[in-house]
Each structure stands twice: as structure tokens, then as C-alpha cells.
Amino acid sequence: MSKTSCIFVEGGHRLSGEVVVSGAKNAALPALAATLLAPGEYQLFNVPDLLDIKTMLKLLSLLGAKWHQQKGSLVINTSLAGKTVAPYEIVNLMRASVLVLGPLVARAGEARVARPGGCPIGKRPIDLHLKGLEAMGAKIKMEHGDIVAKAPRRGLSGAEITFDFPSVTATENLMMAAVLARGKTTIRNAAREPEVVFLGDMLVSMGARIKGHGTETISIEGVKELSPTKIKVIPDRIEAGTYLMAPAVTGGEVEVKNLCPEHLETVIATLKEMGLKLEVAQDSILSRPGKRLKPLKVRTAPYPGFPTDLQAQIMAVLSTVKGTSVIVENIFEDRFHHVEELKRLGADITVEGRVAVVNGVKKLQAAPVKATDLRASASLVLAGLGAEGVTQISEIHHLKRGYEDLCKKFSGIGAKIWEGPCQH
């Protein structure tokens, strides 16, 4: 991919048709890390074709795993995955690389993982991961920018772990560490996201003994060994939410297919409150705007609250909704980088700390803008769909980390959107 590639969005086109949601990146990544827990061949279905997935596969290859595509699935063999070093050049590209820490310490007894990178949206410290591993008996030190973790000779032991915040990746990492630990591990104030439930289901299918995943308290009885499995990745609720919002910007009617409505209950309620008409079926939702859209007060919160990963997108939508909306970002302290870019398109937004006040304008106007992180890039696409003229979005590598075939999917429902060389 050329670094000078941009996405262009011509505003003012009504949307109509169907969009099929891809597998969830945030479920596939921990599933890929979990293949390190037991040697052998795994088959994962519905894995999205994204930069982050390619990065994780590159990391697994460095650790000694082999993989290939087979009839719409990803086959991974970890029989020879005996290496335990996750280098900076990989981990720096994607924060989720830290998910190999728990499995490596559990299976190999040691790991050396560079401190993670990822989107510039806040601190997202990994203290919870490290404290949890230490509670299970691991010795941890920082060495030349790397986390070096070693389990005792007898392996990790079960522990009582209480988070001060329900971190998704910490919950996942420690679940994976605990499944092979001696005795019982209890994780309190655990993350309840559908992706955590999916990982728990995968681990159970491998022979793990886990109860309570999807609740605030997860109990894990360690087992001596696990075995490989086959599993289908759940649909991406963030991608689904992004497409469900689009008709609020453009008008028209879009059916979003291959989703789990129960994963989107708060999002559905929020969009209905705004005035979108949503017809919810078993695995699809039809979205169209009602007569008048209304401003909102939105607070991001851990699941089942409104997802922080849809905060930028709903801000773009509310930018053209008459009245004053208020968005409170409770998860990350620095997740308003998209505000300045939306303002370049004519949005009227004021930020103070974690609160953004959005005064709806009649129409946004196209301008060159820059994607600052993954979800910010999606918000600029939504804004561009409703703006007058052609919006040019640069730094689109962020978008390709988390949205599979976005231009193709939006084009398929009537948007004028394409990728090409940036115009300076």
C-alpha cells in the first residue's frame, strides 16, 4: 500500500441496499494469540482481511507458527511455535500484540514482549496485565523497553485478581494465562464485552474450565493441557454500528446483515433515540432515518454501555443534527483527535476535558482531512458522505487496520467513495 494513498468521498448520495458485516477484529486477535496455548492445528472461520490481522499473523510466524488460507478459513499450526520473543517492530504497530504475553508465559514459562504501541488515543497502561501475572507467580521486569516475564519452575498458580477498571485486553490476557495455571483463578471487575465471551467460548472448546465469562466475575480452574479447536469469529459490532449510522447522514435505507443484535442493544437504543428507524431481525437490522433527527447526550462506558469505538462516528452524525448534543468520553482521556478534522469540514464542536459539545450545522463542506486513528477515520468517512463536494482523507492505513473493504461496501449501497493517489 502506498503511503500517498487517500480515500475520496463525494457527499450528497442517498444510500440504499445491503451491507454484510465482517468478522470482529477484536475477537479474531485474541483468538489468534490463544493458538499459542496448545500445539497443533487450528481452523478459524470468518477472520477479516485487515492490517491488524496480518500483523498478528506475522508475529505468530516469528514465534514459529505456520499458517495458510483454506476455503474461507485461516488454518494455524502452532506445533513448532517455541520462540518467546515478540519484538518492538511488530508490537509497536499494534497494541493487541501484547495478547501473546499470557499464552507464552502459560505454555512456555517465559516471554519477552516489547511495550505495546497502537492508536494514539490515551495511556491504556498495561499495569493490569502485569499485576495479574505477578499475582499468579510470574516474575516481571522491564529490560531495554521490553517486558520480561518468567513463571516459577512449577508454572503459574491460580490467584484472586481484582481490576480497578474492566480492561478488555487485560481480562483476555489473564484468562489465557489462567487456563493452564495450577488451581483456581478468579478475575473480578472483568470486562464483559462480546469479544471476551467469544474468547472464553474458544478456550472452553479447547478444554479449558471457565465459568462467568460475560459477567463481572470469571472463574477459571486450571487444566494440565489444552487441545486445538475450530471456531467461527463473531461479527464486528463496531463495523455494524458504523453502517447503521450512515443513513442518518445520507438518507436512504440500509440493511446491515450478519450481525448480533444482542451485542448492539445500547447502540440500537441510542440510534432510535436520535430518530433512526431500526427494524431488528435475528441477524440483520434495517436502518432508515425518521422524519426528524434529534440531538443526544452520549456517554461512553464499558460494555454493555455505549462503545468508545463508536464515539467518533456518532459525533460525525450529530454534527449535522439540529440542536446541541453532548458526548462524554469515559474510557480514554485523549480520544477527541478527530474533532479538529471534523471542524475542518465545518462542524461546530467544543471540547473541554472529556466532554465534547456538538452544535449541529445545516451542512458540512468537503475539505482535505487526516485520519488520526482507526475509529476517527471512519467518522471522517461518515462526515464526508454528507458533506458538499469531495472530501479527501489521508493516513488511511488507520482505516485498513479495522474495516474490511470499506470503500467496496459503501460503493455497493450507493456511496461515491474510492481510493486513489492523494491530491496535494
Side-chain angles (χ1 to χ4, degrees), residues 80-102:
L80 301 175
K83 296 176 182 173
T84 57
V85 178
Y88 177 73
E89 57 266 27
I90 295 283
V91 180
N92 186 51
L93 294 174
M94 183 187 66
R95 180 169 188 83
S97 307
V98 78
L99 285 166
V100 301
L101 181 62

Side-chain angles (χ1 to χ4, degrees), residues 25-26 29-30 33 51-52 55-56 59 86-101 113-130 147 167-170 172-173 332-333 335 374 401:
K25 167 183 89 96
N26 290 339
L29 291 172
L51 278 181
D52 275 8
T55 300
M56 183 62 93
L59 177 53
Y88 177 73
E89 57 266 27
I90 295 283
V91 180
N92 186 51
L93 294 174
M94 183 187 66
R95 180 169 188 83
S97 307
V98 78
L99 285 166
V100 301
L101 181 62
V113 179
R115 286 192 75 95
C119 280
I121 58 175
K123 291 176 189 166
R124 304 207 281 188
I126 54 167
D127 305 5
L128 297 179
H129 305 240
L130 306 185
I147 303 157
S167 161
V168 174
T169 50
E172 292 167 341
N173 229 339
F332 296 119
E333 75 282 355
R335 200 166 199 176
L374 168 51
R401 286 185 47 224

Side-chain angles (χ1 to χ4, degrees), residues 25-39 42 44 52-53 56-57 59-60 63 65 74 76 78 81 94-107 169 172-173 176-177 179-180 198-199 202-203 206 226:
K25 167 183 89 96
N26 290 339
L29 291 172
L32 290 171
T35 65
L36 294 167
L37 284 165
Y42 297 76
L44 274 61
D52 275 8
I53 298 296
M56 183 62 93
L57 288 171
L59 177 53
L60 290 179
L63 295 172
L74 191 59
I76 300 137
T78 55
M94 183 187 66
R95 180 169 188 83
S97 307
V98 78
L99 285 166
V100 301
L101 181 62
L104 287 175
V105 176
R107 177 177 160 188
T169 50
E172 292 167 341
N173 229 339
M176 290 188 282
V179 289
L180 290 175
F198 169 76
L199 176 62
M202 176 182 175
L203 295 172
M206 292 167 64
L226 300 169

Side-chain angles (χ1 to χ4, degrees), residues 65-381:
K66 307 285 185 195
W67 62 271
H68 64 274
Q69 304 278 355
Q70 179 182 304
K71 293 179 184 173
S73 69
L74 191 59
V75 177
I76 300 137
N77 194 312
T78 55
S79 298
L80 301 175
K83 296 176 182 173
T84 57
V85 178
Y88 177 73
E89 57 266 27
I90 295 283
V91 180
N92 186 51
L93 294 174
M94 183 187 66
R95 180 169 188 83
S97 307
V98 78
L99 285 166
V100 301
L101 181 62
L104 287 175
V105 176
R107 177 177 160 188
E110 62 180 18
R112 186 183 192 104
V113 179
R115 286 192 75 95
C119 280
I121 58 175
K123 291 176 189 166
R124 304 207 281 188
I126 54 167
D127 305 5
L128 297 179
H129 305 240
L130 306 185
K131 285 177 184 172
L133 286 171
E134 284 179 327
M136 295 163 76
K139 298 287 184 212
I140 293 173
K141 60 182 178 179
M142 300 306 301
E143 215 171 71
H144 305 294
D146 294 341
I147 303 157
V148 179
K150 288 196 175 178
R153 196 159 53 180
R154 292 181 63 205
L156 297 174
S157 300
E160 295 273 336
I161 298 165
T162 302
F163 291 148
D164 53 20
F165 179 82
S167 161
V168 174
T169 50
T171 301
E172 292 167 341
N173 229 339
L174 296 179
M175 280 171 68
M176 290 188 282
V179 289
L180 290 175
R182 286 178 297 108
K184 182 180 177 181
T185 298
T186 304
I187 304 173
R188 304 187 196 281
N189 198 23
R192 298 157 58 189
E193 272 73 359
E195 296 79 14
V196 172
V197 178
F198 169 76
L199 176 62
D201 289 345
M202 176 182 175
L203 295 172
V204 167
S205 75
M206 292 167 64
R209 297 173 65 188
I210 304 174
K211 290 181 181 175
H213 47 303
T215 73
E216 291 178 358
T217 304
I218 302 174
S219 299
I220 303 161
E221 285 281 354
V223 296
K224 284 192 174 175
E225 61 179 15
L226 300 169
S227 52
T229 190
K230 296 180 180 181
I231 198 157
K232 182 180 178 182
V233 175
I234 57 173
D236 193 319
R237 62 196 171 96
I238 304 304
E239 185 194 9
T242 303
Y243 288 116
L244 287 172
M245 290 180 194
V249 178
T250 63
E253 190 172 277
V254 174
E255 186 176 12
V256 185
K257 305 180 87 169
N258 183 42
L259 50 71
C260 292
E262 58 269 29
H263 294 170
L264 288 156
E265 286 177 355
T266 304
V267 175
I268 290 167
T270 303
L271 297 184
K272 282 183 174 178
E273 186 186 344
M274 185 173 66
L276 274 175
K277 301 289 184 188
L278 301 180
E279 294 176 25
V280 181
Q282 188 177 347
D283 62 356
S284 67
I285 300 176
L286 185 68
S287 175
R288 56 189 169 82
K291 286 183 180 175
R292 191 176 81 81
L293 296 176
K294 293 176 283 195
L296 291 174
K297 182 160 190 179
V298 179
R299 292 177 174 273
T300 65
Y303 189 85
F306 190 88
T308 180
D309 280 354
L310 283 172
Q311 177 256 104
Q313 296 91 311
I314 200 145
M315 184 183 290
V317 174
L318 292 169
S319 294
T320 57
V321 173
K322 188 178 179 182
T324 300
S325 296
V326 177
I327 298 175
V328 183
E329 174 53 61
N330 288 312
I331 308 297
F332 296 119
E333 75 282 355
D334 195 19
R335 200 166 199 176
F336 284 140
H337 289 275
H338 47 278
V339 169
E340 290 305 314
E341 302 304 310
L342 288 172
K343 284 164 81 169
R344 284 181 51 77
L345 298 171
D348 180 358
I349 305 168
T350 308
V351 173
E352 191 165 319
R354 293 183 179 227
V355 180
V357 178
V358 185
N359 292 304
V361 298
K362 201 162 189 181
K363 198 81 174 170
L364 297 175
Q365 295 185 331
V369 288
K370 180 175 72 174
T372 53
D373 62 67
L374 168 51
R375 304 307 171 184
S377 57
S379 76
L380 297 176
V381 170

